[in-house]
Amino acid sequence: MVRTLILMRHGKSAYPDGVGDHERPLAPRGQREAGLAGEWLRTTQPTIDAVRCSTATRTRETLAATGIDAPVVYEAGIYEASPQSLIELVQLSDDDVATLLVIGHAPGMPWTAWELASNRSSTPAIELSRKFPTSALAVLEFDRPWAQVDPGTGELVRFHIPR
């Protein structure tokens, strides 16, 4: 079974006075672009089996704006996670999950996509290496169970910036 991992950076956040980083909400642009990302996901990935989402306000609001209704687990560890931590999270996914969406932050999302990709000279990888802006999505495919996902074992098949 081909496994698909979608790594999404949260939407553009607002910076209200007196609000800590973890609690920052989405800006109106972030709401709009996360909605566009959801439309793109429903077109290109009609079935998402599971979601792992950071507990930060802006990631939770990003997920809500996408309209994706797959089962969600909120993971505090996604906030400020290293690529190794994110890969370990992916490795713990259930075997019956074919498509997993992870919503998190920079630099974790772009660095993890880069680490997992075996095809770093491909067009999607070159685009990803230039910039991984808010609401961007990296789609990787694996020909192995989640437990065997390691650096360099995935193929970056798409990189999308919803604008």
Side-chain angles (χ1 to χ4, degrees):
M1 170 196 313
V2 172
R3 303 252 186 319
T4 302
L5 173 64
I6 306 161
L7 298 172
M8 181 179 186
R9 184 175 173 199
H10 63 77
K12 177 73 175 164
S13 60
Y15 293 87
D17 290 336
V19 175
D21 185 69
H22 193 270
E23 285 71 39
R24 282 191 293 122
L26 288 181
R29 181 181 122 195
Q31 287 280 348
R32 183 180 63 79
E33 291 173 353
L36 292 172
E39 290 174 18
W40 184 83
L41 283 168
R42 282 187 294 284
T43 300
T44 62
Q45 304 292 326
T47 303
I48 295 176
D49 302 303
V51 178
R52 300 294 176 265
C53 183
S54 165
T55 56
T57 300
R58 61 191 176 274
T59 53
R60 290 183 287 118
E61 289 181 355
T62 295
L63 175 58
T66 66
I68 301 300
D69 63 357
V72 181
V73 174
Y74 294 97
E75 300 274 355
I78 294 174
Y79 185 76
E80 297 185 345
S82 68
Q84 185 57 42
S85 295
L86 291 167
I87 292 169
E88 289 171 4
L89 176 80
V90 169
Q91 291 170 337
L92 295 173
S93 297
D94 291 336
D95 287 336
D96 60 343
V97 171
T99 302
L100 173 65
L101 170 63
V102 179
I103 303 175
H105 311 267
M109 294 296 105
W111 289 358
T112 302
W114 187 257
E115 282 293 311
L116 290 171
S118 63
N119 58 331
R120 293 183 182 165
S121 61
S122 68
T123 299
I126 291 167
E127 292 171 2
L128 179 149
S129 72
R130 289 185 184 130
K131 189 173 183 183
F132 200 112
T134 52
S135 295
L137 302 118
V139 180
L140 296 112
E141 292 182 350
F142 300 88
D143 63 355
R144 62 195 65 224
W146 293 116
Q148 295 175 17
V149 166
D150 283 310
T153 61
E155 181 179 353
L156 182 64
V157 293
R158 283 184 287 292
F159 179 68
H160 180 71
I161 302 169
R163 299 284 187 257

